[in-house]
Amino acid sequence: MPLNPPYLLIRDGLLKGRVIPLLGSGASIDETRGDATLVPGLGSYLPSANELARHLAEKAGFPEEEELRLTKVAQYYDVVGGRKALNDELHSIFDCDYPLTPVHTFLADIDAPLLIVTTNYDDCIERALKLKNRKYDLVIHTTDTAAGDHLLWWEDGKTEPMKISPNKLDLGNLDDRTVVYKMHGAVDRIFAKRDQYVITEDDYIDFLSRMTKNKAVPAIFAEPFQSRHFLFLGYALSDWNLRVVLNRIEKDLRRPKGIRSWAVQQNPSPLEQRFWQERGVEVYNKPLDEFIRELTSREAHG
């Protein structure tokens, strides 16, 4: 019989700022959507990584005999159409008010300051926080060559972002404010030219290169990344990009082995379970909406 997640431990950790939620693409996907078809601009539902890869492959005429992996397809799109065409297509997909999922609303309902990390390009978690009138700072990794190794920092209440070096980002005491860190970039619903997407193979190479030079993850996040639990929601560790990033965090930030983290993933393969466990992550086989319902129930009665 599969074990249940330590709901009370996770809940208390979130309320006390000892848990960092990491949101993958599955955290933004409506698990009840059925067999809907991706139509850019309609905003009916957000695509999974596989669905986005198929869509981009069809648009770019990606060779049918090649492996349909998002980073590879996006790289091909960039080669045959150019980066602007790729960014324009991605903007047409993510510039929509997609339905919020239970993950977004649950996190937005937490009164305590959170450090929320996401590799998603959508703005769902930001909209959820705004609906709850929660103040937050937004930190976005950049891929625009004009930005160099700088980040975009949207300080709460400001109308324009600031370009700043990752090692000079000063958010004050992280225990006093909620911060959303868009590790792989984000759509900009106000000004499309500010869109940032870590999506091609070259983007990931650049991201990892900046990590090794300590110019990717802001220095202010080093201490919480070293000392707090991670809660992975909507990730599949079969994604090699995530495994490499986690590996760099462990090595570059010297994260101690004894800190346990948790992942919620439906039907993980034995290989994925082994990958998670090798990184000190306990994986629990549950749909995300069910996990959030149980976590909310424990919160109500805890």
Side-chain angles (χ1 to χ4, degrees):
M1 184 175 180
L3 295 175
N4 282 320
Y7 292 109
L8 294 178
L9 189 62
I10 293 172
R11 184 208 65 177
D12 290 346
L14 287 168
L15 293 176
K16 295 176 181 177
R18 295 201 300 257
V19 173
I20 300 175
L22 281 91
L23 310 184
S25 62
S28 292
I29 292 176
D30 181 359
E31 296 178 343
T32 65
R33 71 187 190 199
D35 297 326
T37 301
L38 172 62
V39 180
L42 291 186
S44 57
Y45 78 94
L46 272 161
S48 67
N50 289 337
E51 289 166 334
L52 182 56
R54 286 197 298 271
H55 174 78
L56 295 178
E58 182 178 352
K59 293 276 291 189
F62 187 73
E64 293 182 0
E65 66 275 11
E66 293 290 335
E67 178 188 5
L68 204 65
R69 190 175 68 243
L70 180 56
T71 54
K72 190 174 184 178
V73 173
Q75 186 73 43
Y76 184 82
Y77 200 117
D78 188 355
V79 168
V80 300
R83 186 62 192 228
K84 184 180 185 305
L86 174 61
N87 282 4
D88 287 348
E89 185 62 27
L90 293 171
H91 188 88
S92 73
I93 293 171
F94 294 105
D95 183 20
C96 294
D97 286 337
Y98 288 103
L100 303 181
T101 69
V103 172
H104 304 128
T105 53
F106 170 77
L107 293 176
D109 277 332
I110 295 176
D111 291 331
L114 294 174
L115 171 55
I116 302 171
V117 181
T118 175
T119 51
N120 295 336
Y121 312 122
D122 62 75
D123 68 343
C124 290
I125 186 61
E126 297 100 293
R127 288 193 293 113
L129 290 167
K130 288 176 182 176
L131 284 172
K132 297 294 182 177
N133 294 316
R134 294 286 308 281
K135 294 183 178 181
Y136 68 94
D137 282 17
L138 181 63
V139 179
I140 302 173
H141 181 87
T142 61
T143 53
D144 183 359
T145 55
D149 290 338
H150 289 77
L151 301 166
L152 292 180
W153 172 29
W154 287 83
E155 192 174 1
D156 182 69
K158 296 296 178 64
T159 57
E160 293 286 330
M162 180 188 304
K163 281 200 304 185
I164 191 166
S165 167
N167 294 326
K168 294 183 178 179
L169 178 67
D170 185 5
L171 300 173
N173 189 344
L174 290 179
D175 292 333
D176 295 334
R177 69 174 67 196
T178 289
V179 179
V180 177
Y181 173 35
K182 309 297 282 285
M183 184 180 278
H184 285 172
V187 66
D188 191 312
R189 305 284 301 279
I190 300 172
F191 187 45
K193 289 185 177 180
R194 283 196 300 246
D195 281 8
Q196 311 290 333
Y197 303 107
V198 177
I199 192 168
T200 68
E201 292 174 338
D202 285 348
D203 291 337
Y204 277 94
I205 291 171
D206 178 69
F207 178 82
L208 295 172
S209 173
R210 286 163 68 173
M211 283 196 74
T212 59
K213 295 183 294 183
N214 295 321
K215 293 183 177 181
V217 177
I220 195 171
F221 297 156
E223 190 280 330
F225 276 22
Q226 290 170 342
S227 61
R228 300 184 188 181
H229 307 277
F230 289 136
L231 175 62
F232 296 92
L233 302 173
Y235 281 105
L237 205 61
S238 55
D239 183 349
W240 68 269
N241 304 312
L242 175 61
R243 298 207 306 273
V244 172
V245 168
L246 292 180
N247 188 54
R248 294 308 326 170
I249 288 175
E250 289 177 1
K251 291 184 176 180
D252 297 343
L253 302 181
R254 299 179 176 85
R255 180 176 170 83
K257 295 286 187 182
I259 301 177
R260 307 303 296 180
S261 293
W262 312 282
V264 180
Q265 179 183 350
Q266 189 169 14
N267 301 322
S269 69
L271 185 61
E272 285 179 311
Q273 291 179 321
R274 180 63 183 271
F275 282 149
W276 282 119
Q277 290 168 354
E278 284 292 314
R279 283 159 178 79
V281 180
E282 293 296 327
V283 59
Y284 296 96
N285 180 9
K286 278 189 179 296
L288 276 184
D289 57 353
E290 180 181 328
F291 169 75
I292 294 298
R293 281 198 304 271
E294 291 290 338
L295 200 60
T296 304
S297 173
R298 299 305 198 282
E299 185 176 24
H301 300 98

